[in-house]
Amino acid sequence: MEDREQEAVQQNNILESESQEMYNNLKYLSLGILVFQTTTLVLTLRYSRTLKEDGPRYLASTAVVVAELLKILACILLVYKDSKYNLQALKRVLHDEILNKPMETLKLAIPSGIYTLQNNLLYVALSNLDAATYQVTYQLKILTTALFSVSMLSKKLGVYQWLSLVILMTGVALVQWPSDSEATTAKGLPSRSQFVGLLAVLISSFSSGFAGVYFEKILKETKQSVWIRNIQLGFFGSIFGMMGVYIYDGEHLSKNGFFQGYNKLTWIVVVLQALGGLVIAAVIKYADNILKGFATSLSIILSTLISYFWLQDFVPTSVFFFGAILVIAATFLYGYDPKPAGNPIKA
């Protein structure tokens, strides 16, 4: 009898060990995918907006719409998987959770409109800033997310988190410090404005913080799956996106069509942008704040190296390096959770 109990305990331990190993594998896999997706999206988008080609350049507004449609398709497939590949169950879920709850669906119109604006600003920013400067400056979303979390969700920030936000702002200010190398980095590239790029990143960081916290608030108030919520976001996002296409690029659209200037690189950018939200959802599920900070740091370093050696549109200065180190340190410090809990500070 004792032998059987011992054998059962051993089998239990083996199963727990295998489960923990699988969880760790998923954690690091999702993290690796996040680093790859973030870095590749920024670099390919930057390259696609600066590449000299014959004929018209692809319209950023149409790329945003196509990315939203691809995101909807991906989320429907994930809901289909959760429905055990039953088509009737999928139809029932979509009908019950989206069509039968119009007020719940309408709540997503606000963050969806903001995300659509943010996605368009991403193209504006990377048409005017090199990938490394964009990556570092965009970490201001940590600051805006923290401030909106305090004001909208009544979250409390610890001393380390407030300190990290101060370090973050200092680092970003140093990265944006004007240098003599800016004129030389723009050789052979389309005309660009650092001010326009910086303004696009600042608005994008602000909107990212607000929309992210608003979306989190909605997720906490309802029991709908994150995939259903992303379908709702994508639905409104595609509508807002099409409005933007016709308002800002209607003339170009009538001349050369919706998919003007599209090539393999454009489709890579669109797919990467569509998968971004799904990758972040996976990382939130499996990875902690320290690992997400590590992913951000790796992405910044890779973007800097590739911008310098491959795109050749960026010459780092000592001030940039110091600012980037401060931003990387701030991302780690913000996610640091000391075991002995101190007295939190509330804004």
Side-chain angles (χ1 to χ4, degrees):
M1 194 71 177
E2 287 181 4
D3 291 340
R4 285 183 182 176
E5 287 179 358
Q6 286 179 351
E7 188 178 337
V9 169
Q10 286 176 347
Q11 286 179 344
N12 223 22
N13 290 338
I14 290 170
L15 287 172
E16 284 182 6
S17 176
E18 288 177 351
S19 177
Q20 184 61 39
E21 187 179 350
M22 183 180 291
Y23 179 82
N24 286 334
N25 289 338
L26 285 170
K27 182 168 67 174
Y28 290 110
L29 177 64
S30 65
L31 199 68
I33 293 171
L34 179 63
V35 173
F36 175 80
Q37 187 270 340
T38 305
T39 309
T40 310
L41 172 61
V42 170
L43 291 168
T44 53
L45 201 158
R46 169 65 179 165
Y47 185 61
S48 73
R49 299 309 286 173
T50 56
L51 185 64
K52 287 186 175 181
E53 286 188 333
D54 296 330
R57 188 181 300 278
Y58 74 92
L59 301 175
S61 56
T62 64
V64 170
V65 172
V66 176
E68 290 295 336
L69 294 174
L70 286 177
K71 185 174 73 173
I72 292 172
L73 178 61
C75 288
I76 288 174
L77 291 173
L78 287 166
V79 175
Y80 181 55
K81 175 180 172 291
D82 290 343
S83 303
K84 298 180 180 178
Y85 303 102
N86 186 314
L87 198 56
Q88 291 301 320
L90 171 65
K91 288 180 181 177
R92 189 167 55 250
V93 168
L94 294 177
H95 186 271
D96 292 346
E97 297 297 331
I98 298 175
L99 296 178
N100 278 0
K101 297 178 180 177
M103 294 310 297
E104 290 297 319
T105 301
L106 279 171
K107 286 181 181 178
L108 273 296
I110 293 174
S112 179
I114 296 171
Y115 280 133
T116 304
L117 171 66
Q118 182 185 326
N119 289 333
N120 278 282
L121 287 171
L122 171 65
Y123 288 87
V124 175
L126 282 166
S127 296
N128 292 281
L129 294 175
D130 58 79
T133 303
Y134 167 82
Q135 279 279 65
V136 178
T137 308
Y138 189 51
Q139 298 315 308
L140 276 175
K141 64 185 178 181
I142 297 173
L143 170 66
T144 58
T145 302
L147 296 178
F148 281 120
S149 294
V150 169
S151 60
M152 292 171 63
L153 299 177
S154 299
K155 283 190 176 180
K156 296 179 179 180
L157 301 182
V159 175
Y160 288 106
Q161 289 172 311
W162 284 113
L163 179 61
S164 73
L165 297 179
V166 174
I167 295 172
L168 176 71
M169 286 189 292
T170 306
V172 169
L174 289 173
V175 165
Q176 288 296 332
W177 198 267
S179 66
D180 295 332
S181 63
E182 283 172 13
T184 60
T185 58
K187 274 187 180 178
L189 295 176
S191 61
R192 62 180 189 173
S193 165
Q194 182 161 4
F195 174 76
V196 171
L198 176 59
L199 187 62
V201 177
L202 291 176
I203 298 172
S204 188
S205 298
F206 185 85
S207 62
S208 174
F210 177 77
V213 173
Y214 187 97
F215 188 48
E216 183 183 345
K217 186 178 174 68
I218 290 175
L219 286 176
K220 286 182 175 179
E221 290 174 350
T222 58
K223 294 180 180 179
Q224 286 181 317
S225 76
V226 70
W227 309 131
I228 292 291
R229 286 306 194 186
N230 272 290
I231 292 171
Q232 294 167 322
L233 279 175
F235 171 72
F236 286 112
S238 57
I239 292 173
F240 289 132
M242 283 304 297
M243 289 169 61
V245 171
Y246 283 102
I247 291 170
Y248 296 105
D249 293 313
E251 188 179 339
H252 297 290
L253 198 70
S254 60
K255 284 182 181 177
N256 300 300
F258 191 88
F259 292 105
Q260 60 181 281
Y262 274 59
N263 53 31
K264 289 180 182 178
L265 185 61
T266 311
W267 283 107
I268 290 172
V269 170
V270 167
V271 171
L272 286 169
Q273 192 171 24
L275 295 179
L278 308 183
V279 171
I280 290 168
V283 171
I284 288 170
K285 185 175 181 180
Y286 295 112
D288 56 27
N289 283 327
I290 299 296
L291 287 175
K292 280 187 280 184
F294 183 67
T296 301
S297 305
L298 264 181
S299 184
I300 289 172
I301 293 166
L302 286 172
S303 296
T304 303
L305 292 174
I306 296 173
S307 286
Y308 179 66
F309 289 107
W310 179 43
L311 298 181
Q312 296 182 346
D313 64 346
F314 171 66
V315 179
T317 63
S318 55
V319 176
F320 175 90
F321 272 122
F322 184 57
I325 289 169
L326 287 180
V327 170
I328 290 171
T331 59
F332 276 104
L333 189 59
Y334 187 80
Y336 178 63
D337 185 19
K339 295 298 177 186
N343 294 324
I345 305 172
K346 185 177 178 182

